[in-house]
């Protein structure tokens, strides 16, 4: 369904003219101020940086500047809508960086979906930025784009649709397990969706020590006997599904402890009802969850969604501002798996003493979140030696 364009509505009015501006930190009020901020004074700063590029971290905004980059191929629940239509979303993401972490961010939408062209373009503009946040790029291209950029660039590269989601899911699931008297190692998880979020969530849960995990795509459970798997799914097939499921998502849910939905596919109530006692349901498709929360609560002890109008919203804003801020604080050259795990630990710990079925993750405006994640990520970066300061 195509939304109605109504320029008189409050929703359209708040987006009129875009949501971002650039302002100077210096009041350019007279000739002297202009000569210091621009020519001739700025030439001395440029000459100093030319002699020692590390000075750019202190004398430009580069070290605190994030590029939010998309090709418009997987935007929210709208799919491949193109770069121009993706721009309002990227502007919003930049506003979140500023609001929650005090970081500057610039939205960039690309007029290409070619993997090589995207990588080359980002590499060429990277000297202007301290970090790259990839956004709303469809799978499986997003995996290769991120991998190649991580290899080529000496700055953090983070695909938020993958890792932001995964960090918040891990934090929430660990707290849900605690609330129901279990640990991650006790849980059998069924994941619906083998796109960017599903793959990343599966990987981080495996790294965190989940008991068992079965991943389902549109053709059913991903298992090693299938001959239609791409390399990424085949890799996961070798690491998951110890229970040996080969059928449908619904059949794998029988007796499972956790349902994690990161796709648009609907799951019928009988499948949820067949899960183990004290089950956990994360139905994260947005705006329409895989199973309606009211139905899930009939059978599950803990229910989470991706929506702000239900408890336990799994929202990436709980992760990416603090992750980038912590990486910048440490001068990190990359965002490692250890840093993501540290972010999840810190995020979950914020509400660890306050847990209840409708409160397993903090709210987005909880002021404790960013400082906790930021500190944990920076400390982990320094422990791992990925800080530029250690070169």
């Amino acid at each position: 369904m195509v939304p109605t364009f109504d320029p008189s509505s409050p929703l359209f009015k708040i987006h009129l003219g875009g949501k971002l501006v650039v302002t100077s930190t210096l009041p350019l009020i007279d000739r002297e101020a202009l000569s210091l901020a621009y020519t001739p004074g700025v030439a001395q700063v440029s000459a100093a940086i030319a002699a020692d590029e590390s000075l750019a971290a202190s004398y430009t905004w580069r070290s605190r500047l994030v590029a939010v980059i998309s090709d418009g191929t997987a935007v929210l629940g709208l799919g491949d809508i193109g770069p121009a239509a993706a721009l309002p979303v990227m502007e919003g993401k930049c506003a979140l960086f500023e609001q929650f972490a005090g970081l500057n961010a610039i939205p960039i939408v690309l007029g290409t979906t070619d993997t090589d062209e995207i990588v080359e373009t980002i590499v060429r503009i990277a000297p202007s930025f301290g970090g790259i946040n990839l956004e709303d790029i469809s799978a499986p291209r997003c995996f290769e784009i991120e991998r190649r950029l991580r290899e080529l660039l000496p700055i953090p590269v983070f695909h938020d649709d993958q890792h932001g989601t995964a960090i918040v899911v891990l934090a929430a699931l660990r707290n849900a397990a605690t609330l129901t008297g279990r640990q991650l190692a006790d849980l059998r998880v069924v994941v619906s969706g083998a796109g960017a979020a599903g793959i990343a969530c599966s990987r981080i849960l495996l790294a965190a020590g989940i008991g068992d995990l079965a991943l389902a795509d549109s053709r059913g459970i991903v298992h090693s006997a299938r001959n239609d798997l791409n390399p990424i799914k085949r890799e996961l097939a070798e690491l998951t599904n110890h229970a040996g499921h080969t059928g449908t998502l619904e059949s794998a849910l029988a007796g499972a402890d956790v349902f994690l939905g990161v796709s648009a596919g609907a799951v019928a109530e009988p499948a949820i009802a067949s899960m183990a006692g004290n089950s956990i349901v994360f139905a994260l498709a947005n705006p329409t969850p895989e199973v309606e929360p009211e139905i899930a609560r009939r059978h599950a002890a803990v229910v989470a969604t991706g929506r702000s109008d239900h408890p336990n919203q799994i929202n990436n804003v709980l992760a990416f501002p603090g992750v980038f801020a912590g990486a910048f604080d440490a001068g990190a050259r990359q965002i490692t798996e250890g840093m993501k795990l540290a972010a999840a630990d810190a995020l979950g710990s914020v509400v660890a003493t306050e847990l209840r079925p409708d409160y397993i993750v903090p709210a987005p405006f909880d002021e404790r979140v960013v400082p906790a994640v930021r500190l944990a990520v920076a400390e982990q970066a320094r422990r791992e030696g990925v800080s530029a300061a250690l070169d």
Side-chain angles (χ1 to χ4, degrees), residues 336 338-340 342 375-386:
T336 66
M339 291 161 71
K340 297 169 198 171
L375 179 61
V377 168
E379 289 181 343
Q380 182 65 27
R382 295 184 181 105
R383 279 194 293 268
E384 294 185 27
V386 296

Side-chain angles (χ1 to χ4, degrees), residues 37-324:
Y38 194 51
T39 183
V42 73
Q44 294 185 45
V45 178
S46 293
I49 294 172
D52 180 1
E53 188 173 339
S54 68
L55 293 176
S58 299
Y59 294 99
T60 72
W61 69 339
R62 183 173 78 175
S63 64
R64 315 297 293 181
L65 181 63
V66 181
V68 177
I69 302 178
S70 178
D71 65 356
T73 54
V75 181
L76 303 176
L78 303 174
D80 185 354
I81 60 175
L87 187 54
V89 182
M90 302 310 116
E91 288 183 3
K93 193 61 169 277
C94 292
L96 296 179
F97 269 109
E98 196 285 325
Q99 174 67 35
F100 290 99
L103 298 179
N104 295 299
I106 292 179
I108 298 173
V109 291
L110 303 177
T112 178
T113 61
D114 181 83
T115 295
D116 292 336
E117 291 182 354
I118 290 173
V119 171
E120 180 181 6
T121 300
I122 294 174
V123 168
R124 290 184 182 278
I125 66 172
S128 294
F129 299 95
I132 306 294
N133 184 100
L134 301 173
E135 193 78 17
D136 294 347
I137 299 173
S138 63
R141 296 174 311 117
C142 61
F143 302 116
E144 182 181 354
I145 290 169
E146 184 192 33
R147 178 187 61 78
R148 288 169 60 180
L149 289 172
R150 283 168 55 90
E151 292 173 354
L152 291 168
L153 296 178
I155 58 175
V157 177
F158 187 81
H159 185 203
D160 187 49
D161 302 311
Q162 292 185 60
H163 310 302
T165 303
I167 288 167
V168 184
V169 163
L170 175 56
L173 185 56
R174 183 179 281 120
N175 280 348
T178 298
L179 194 62
T180 57
R182 293 170 289 185
Q183 297 180 345
L184 291 178
D186 301 322
L187 302 179
R188 180 166 74 84
V189 180
V190 178
V191 180
S192 173
I199 295 292
C201 288
S202 297
R203 285 174 169 168
I204 202 170
L205 291 177
L206 290 170
I210 203 72
D212 192 15
L213 182 148
L215 176 67
D217 61 13
S218 60
R219 295 180 177 88
I221 296 298
V222 171
H223 58 87
S224 55
R226 282 178 51 177
N227 58 11
D228 60 346
L229 302 179
N230 64 37
I232 294 169
K233 292 181 185 179
R234 183 156 300 283
E235 176 190 357
L236 276 174
E238 301 298 328
L239 300 173
T240 60
N241 193 23
H242 302 314
H245 296 285
T246 59
T248 64
L249 166 75
E250 289 77 7
S251 65
L253 278 174
D257 301 292
V258 180
F259 168 69
L260 170 57
V262 282
S263 71
V267 178
E269 182 173 1
I272 298 298
S274 74
M275 295 174 66
N278 274 334
S279 63
I280 299 165
V281 172
F282 286 10
L284 306 185
N286 205 352
T288 305
E290 292 83 354
V291 55
E292 287 299 323
E294 294 79 6
I295 294 175
R297 292 189 191 100
R298 297 174 189 168
H299 310 284
V302 180
V303 176
T305 74
R307 295 176 56 116
S308 61
D309 56 348
H310 289 279
N312 295 329
Q313 183 191 19
I314 306 301
N315 191 328
N316 290 15
V317 77
L318 294 169
F320 69 82
V323 168
F324 268 96

